[in-house]
Amino acid sequence: MKQTFETRKLYFGFPVFFLGYKDDAHGYNISTSSSAYTLGSMMVVAMRTKGNAVTEIKKHGSFTVNIPTEELLTEVEIAGFNSRKDKFALTGLDYTIGETVDAPMVTACPVSIECQVVEFVECGALTNIIARVTRREVEEDLIDEDGTFKSDTFSPISYIGDGAGRYYRNYKDGGVQMGSIIKKSEKMKKVIVS
């Protein structure tokens, strides 16, 4: 039986990423976040309105989404708990500048996405940044011989929890291909009918 669950926040599994941006104080910077989704060529991220990332992205109009794996958990926390500091200096992470945007691409992240801002939508103390994806960069070993992304081998970090505690999780099981379950079900129906 379900019950009402009173909590200030509930994260049911969101990707952890480094938000890369041009920073007037430090040249380029990153912030750790887990509030993002992408659909087609649209990327939406959300951050605190008064945070450094939103302030700088409003000035410069572009950013990157860099998706780390569990080997970078220490850097994820350093970049997430040190507001308004030079997080590249603190983490020791290297970066290059995007090809289509003036924002940093974290070298150690196997997936990086360049984004150009389309709109800012404020919602209380948070700002949703709606952007157009201008370029995606993926490590070669995550692309198969047909040029398809190897979803079953990529293991990003997810952020899960509530107001009492939050956790990092990853995808070690390899997953199940979308559509394969219903195909098995349809096969079973044909076997039963026959």
Side-chain angles (χ1 to χ4, degrees):
M1 172 185 274
K2 292 182 185 175
Q3 68 180 45
T4 300
F5 180 60
E6 297 294 336
T7 184
R8 192 170 68 86
K9 54 182 91 175
L10 180 62
Y11 298 98
F12 48 90
F14 299 93
V16 173
F17 62 93
F18 294 118
L19 183 67
Y21 53 93
K22 189 168 187 170
D23 185 329
D24 289 344
H26 304 293
Y28 294 96
N29 217 338
I30 53 174
S31 292
T32 300
S33 185
S34 64
S35 301
Y37 74 88
T38 185
L39 190 59
S41 64
M42 179 183 67
M43 174 72 71
V44 180
V45 300
M47 302 283 288
R48 287 184 355 221
T49 299
K50 295 189 186 236
N52 191 56
V54 171
T55 301
E56 295 298 327
I57 291 169
K58 280 184 177 180
K59 288 181 199 174
H60 301 287
S62 62
F63 61 91
T64 61
V65 171
N66 303 273
I67 305 171
T69 52
E70 69 181 326
E71 297 80 19
L72 297 174
L73 274 174
T74 300
E75 292 81 358
V76 163
E77 291 220 326
I78 291 169
F81 285 100
N82 287 283
S83 184
R84 299 190 186 277
K85 295 181 182 170
D86 181 351
K87 296 172 195 173
F88 280 115
L90 292 173
T91 62
L93 289 169
D94 292 322
Y95 65 91
T96 60
I97 303 305
E99 288 184 14
T100 63
V101 298
D102 189 12
M105 309 275 280
V106 179
T107 307
C109 291
V111 175
S112 294
I113 304 168
E114 299 176 27
C115 302
Q116 189 68 46
V117 173
V118 173
E119 183 178 1
F120 295 94
V121 179
E122 290 188 20
C123 184
L126 303 173
T127 295
N128 292 284
I129 305 169
I130 302 168
R132 180 178 49 84
V133 172
T134 57
R135 181 173 171 264
R136 296 172 184 90
E137 184 177 86
V138 176
E139 280 292 333
E140 290 176 354
D141 64 349
L142 288 173
I143 301 172
D144 68 17
E145 59 279 349
D146 297 323
T148 303
F149 185 67
K150 294 181 182 177
S151 302
D152 59 335
T153 62
F154 183 50
S155 185
I157 306 162
S158 277
Y159 185 67
I160 299 172
D162 62 12
R166 291 170 298 261
Y167 300 88
Y168 302 114
R169 304 271 310 263
N170 56 30
Y171 301 89
K172 295 281 185 178
D173 70 352
V176 176
Q177 184 172 6
M178 188 171 102
S180 65
I181 296 168
I182 193 72
K183 285 180 184 175
K184 286 180 187 176
S185 175
E186 289 172 2
K187 287 179 184 177
M188 290 303 294
K189 287 177 190 174
K190 288 178 183 176
V191 170
I192 294 169
V193 172
S194 299

